[in-house]
């Protein structure tokens, strides 16, 4: 319901006082128009067997019966500078409602991606952030929320968002203090079963695509071979460095646009992946496979060996897209100032690792700079620049994660589920590793 419209009719309030894990006895306390169960509110709807009845009719009937329960899911307007994405899109609303969620959003949360409040059916809107947070059992967000937002959440509530704990020590401290169960989207394990929840991948794929588009607009030449009566223009040479999700998408995009593409990574398995997308792999002879499919840092000797092998490929490229990253570390430097000075006049580097400091010595994160004869473009928060698609994919990722816990109008966290256990950042006042002990005693915890 858009802001300014009358608020939704709410069920009478029911307050649950938990006795023991497993909860066998309940004491209900009626309050005006709010339902809060500790540590998390659970709301069950008495009967929705007749699928033809409207939600309003259901609510009225349930209100009379006094037994309607839902899980309150709140979505805030993002507060980070330049963040345009929103964690909920209309396509996901009906699916969440079906699982028993009652949805609330902050007015204007989707405006930056052309989703006005009116586009969301079955969602209650309010301008009051405090109210949203106070009543929420689950808060969905994209970027790490402000400290004040965590203070407003009730103890035991669930937060699902990107956190990046190393950048947010104060926030993590507050999550622990407030006993928030936080699922950090960057922690979703990279396993087949979790692919539909893997927001790192969905956002990185968009980043890789956009990196090539951005580079193309800064080049003073075209990417494909073009033949005219006046003559033929040869295809541009594109070098992609770092072949994770973003790098492979960049290769695919540059190849589709007709460029001649090369790819380089320190994980040898990427050679076959690059080839399958139409790129030639630059083999530097260095194998720096790390743990869990990620790369490790190179030694000083390895860096010299790589630099020697790459210099001529860097010099030949019209466009370079860099995406190299090592989890928890600053971005590795792949292009020195000397190598950049040896590039063709008019060449462009798009550094997609600016968030971690960048892959080039001359990168200025968040800026586009002319360095000698070349241009280095280093955008921050690239998925936000494609906010509509990025929000859509993220909202589906978050829904798929929440769907593991939200069934029949109840949130149940099964800690024996690898995806939930590994994605959890904080729970019951403990950090992931410490919380693991707590969890092992309770394989299926009903958070209610
Ligand atoms: P990432 O963003 O952590 O890093 C990007 C790339 O940079 C990686 O390919 C890495 O090897 C490379 N890199 C690091 N240091 C480098 C250097 N000095 N020179 C060149 N390249 C360097 O990567 P990502 O996209 O998050 O993917 C990480 C891993 O997760 C990959 O193995 C990927 O295949 C895997 N993955 C698996 C799944 C799944 O199975 N569900 C989903 C997504 C990703």
């Amino acid at each position: 319901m858009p802001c300014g419209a009358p608020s939704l009719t709410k069920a009478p309030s029911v307050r649950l006082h938990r006795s023991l894990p497993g909860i066998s006895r309940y004491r209900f306390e009626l309050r005006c128009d709010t339902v809060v169960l500790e540590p998390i509110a659970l709301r069950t709807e008495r009967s929705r067997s007749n699928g033809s009845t409207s939600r309003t009719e259901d609510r009225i009937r349930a209100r009379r019966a006094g037994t309607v329960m839902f899980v309150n899911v709140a979505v805030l307007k993002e507060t980070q500078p330049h963040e345009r994405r929103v964690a909920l899109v209309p396509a996901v609303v009906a699916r969440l409602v079906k699982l028993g969620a009652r949805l609330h959003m902050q007015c204007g949360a989707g405006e930056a991606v052309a989703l006005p409040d009116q586009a969301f059916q079955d969602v209650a809107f309010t301008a009051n952030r405090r109210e949203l947070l106070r009543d929420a059992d689950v808060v969905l967000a994209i970027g790490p929320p402000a400290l004040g937002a965590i203070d407003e959440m009730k103890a035991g509530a669930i937060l699902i968002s990107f956190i990046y704990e190393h950048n947010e020590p104060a926030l993590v401290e507050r999550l622990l203090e407030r006993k928030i169960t936080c699922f950090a989207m960057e922690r979703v394990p990279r396993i087949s079963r979790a692919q539909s929840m893997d927001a790192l991948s969905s956002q990185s794929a968009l980043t890789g695509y956009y990196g090539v588009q951005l580079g193309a607009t800064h080049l003073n030449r075209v990417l494909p071979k073009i033949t005219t009566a006046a003559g033929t223009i040869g295809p541009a040479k594109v070098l992609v460095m770092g072949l994770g999700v973003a790098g492979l998408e960049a290769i695919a995009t540059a190849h589709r646009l007709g460029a001649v593409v090369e790819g380089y990574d320190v994980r040898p398995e990427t050679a076959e992946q690059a080839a399958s997308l139409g790129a030639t792999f630059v083999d530097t002879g260095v194998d720096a496979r790390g743990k869990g499919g990620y790369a490790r840092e190179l030694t000083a000797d390895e860096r010299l060996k790589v630099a020697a092998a790459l210099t001529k490929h860097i010099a030949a490229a019209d466009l370079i897209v860099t995406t190299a990253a090592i989890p928890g570390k600053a971005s590795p430097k792949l292009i020195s100032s000397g190598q950049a000075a040896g590039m063709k006049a008019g060449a462009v580097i798009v550094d997609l690792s600016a968030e971690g400091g960048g892959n080039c010595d001359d990168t200025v994160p968040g800026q586009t700079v002319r360095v000698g004869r070349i241009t280095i473009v280093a955008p921050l928060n690239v998925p936000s620049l494609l906010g509509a698609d990025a929000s859509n994919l993220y909202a589906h990722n978050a829904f798929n994660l929440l769907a593991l816990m939200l069934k029949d109008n109840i949130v149940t966290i099964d800690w024996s589920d690898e995806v939930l256990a590994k994605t959890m950042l904080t729970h019951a006042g403990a950090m992931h590793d410490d919380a693991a002990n707590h969890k092992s005693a309770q394989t299926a915890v009903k958070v209610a």
Side-chain angles (χ1 to χ4, degrees):
M1 184 180 297
C3 285
S7 66
L8 288 174
T9 305
K10 289 186 181 173
S13 171
V14 180
R15 188 176 185 85
L16 169 65
H17 293 260
R18 183 164 65 165
S19 47
L20 289 167
I23 309 165
S24 55
R25 292 190 304 126
Y26 301 85
R27 183 158 69 83
F28 294 101
E29 179 187 300
L30 293 181
R31 290 195 319 180
C32 103
D33 248 15
T34 311
V35 181
V36 182
L37 303 182
E38 289 178 346
I40 188 168
L42 300 183
R43 296 158 184 85
T44 57
E45 194 168 324
R46 174 177 252 191
S47 168
R48 301 201 63 216
S49 54
N50 178 0
S52 64
T53 59
S54 72
R55 287 188 53 73
T56 309
E57 285 165 348
D58 283 350
R59 280 190 205 111
I60 292 168
R61 191 172 341 104
R63 185 179 187 174
R64 286 196 194 113
T67 56
V68 174
M69 299 185 198
F70 296 93
V71 173
N72 268 340
V73 177
V75 180
L76 298 174
K77 190 169 178 162
E78 296 291 318
T79 51
Q80 301 272 337
H82 312 302
E83 182 56 79
R84 299 183 196 174
R85 293 170 289 175
V86 60
L88 181 66
V89 295
V92 170
V93 168
R95 299 173 72 185
L96 273 172
V97 167
K98 203 169 167 193
L99 294 180
R102 188 154 63 180
L103 299 168
H104 306 262
M105 286 179 90
Q106 186 178 349
C107 292
E111 262 169 14
V113 289
L115 286 174
D117 299 350
Q118 290 78 2
F120 292 85
Q121 298 294 312
D122 253 336
V123 176
F125 278 86
T126 174
N128 189 333
R129 270 176 86 85
R130 292 183 81 175
E131 192 182 292
L132 262 181
L133 289 161
R134 196 189 57 211
D135 293 343
D137 309 312
V138 178
V139 174
L140 291 183
I142 303 242
L147 291 182
I150 307 301
D151 290 338
E152 297 297 338
M153 288 174 70
K154 59 192 175 194
I158 292 173
L159 169 67
I160 298 177
S161 76
F162 281 117
I163 300 288
Y164 293 104
E165 60 183 290
H166 299 295
N167 300 337
E168 300 285 346
L171 179 64
V172 172
E173 203 52 48
R174 203 61 65 88
L175 290 168
L176 293 170
E177 276 167 27
R178 302 279 308 136
K179 295 194 166 38
I180 304 296
T181 297
C182 174
F183 292 95
M185 289 301 271
E186 72 277 8
R187 292 178 60 84
V188 170
R190 309 312 266 289
I191 56 173
S192 304
R193 190 168 76 80
Q195 278 178 356
S196 65
M197 304 152 214
D198 185 352
L200 273 185
S201 288
S202 69
Q203 307 299 292
S204 291
L206 295 175
T207 300
Y209 159 84
Y210 199 56
V212 174
Q213 303 292 342
L214 212 47
T217 60
H218 281 85
L219 277 174
N220 58 9
R221 55 156 306 154
V222 298
L223 291 183
K225 174 181 175 184
I226 290 185
T227 301
T228 74
T232 298
I233 298 166
K237 288 188 175 155
V238 175
L239 171 62
V240 181
M241 305 172 87
L243 305 181
V245 178
L248 292 174
E249 190 61 46
I251 285 182
T253 305
H255 181 67
R256 276 199 296 267
L257 289 174
V260 171
V261 190
E262 291 185 323
Y264 148 73
D265 199 290
V266 290
R267 292 182 297 114
E269 63 266 33
T270 56
E272 201 181 313
Q273 295 161 358
S276 73
L277 294 168
T280 307
F281 187 72
V282 180
D283 190 353
T284 61
V286 169
D287 178 349
R289 268 174 286 192
K291 287 185 188 149
Y294 293 98
R296 61 163 173 79
E297 269 182 297
L298 302 185
T299 63
D301 282 351
E302 285 172 334
R303 273 201 292 277
L304 287 175
K305 191 173 175 189
V306 165
L310 283 178
T311 298
K312 67 173 188 285
H313 297 272
I314 292 170
D318 297 292
L319 170 62
I320 299 180
V321 178
T322 69
T323 76
I326 298 170
K329 308 258 182 202
S331 312
K333 298 294 180 211
L334 309 185
I335 303 177
S336 67
S337 296
Q339 286 170 318
M343 289 178 71
K344 293 179 189 173
V348 172
I349 298 174
V350 177
D351 189 339
L352 296 177
S353 286
E355 223 91 38
N359 290 144
C360 314
D361 282 348
D362 297 322
T363 291
V364 182
Q367 292 187 30
T368 297
V369 290
R370 284 286 299 210
V371 181
R373 303 183 302 171
I374 69 161
T375 303
I376 303 180
V377 188
L380 296 171
N381 194 355
V382 178
S384 193
L385 301 171
L386 297 171
D389 284 339
S391 300
N392 188 15
L393 294 179
Y394 182 92
H396 281 85
N397 293 142
F399 165 77
N400 288 322
L401 184 69
L402 190 50
L404 292 181
M405 310 172 232
L406 181 52
K407 284 190 192 80
D408 301 330
N409 304 31
I410 293 176
V411 172
T412 306
I413 303 177
D414 177 1
W415 291 118
S416 68
D417 183 327
E418 180 187 7
V419 176
L420 293 177
K422 289 191 169 158
T423 307
M424 182 266 284
L425 177 69
T426 61
H427 172 64
M431 272 309 268
H432 40 82
D433 295 334
D434 297 334
N437 301 326
H438 169 82
K439 288 183 307 174
S440 61
Q442 304 172 349
T443 48
V445 180
K446 187 178 273 191
V447 184

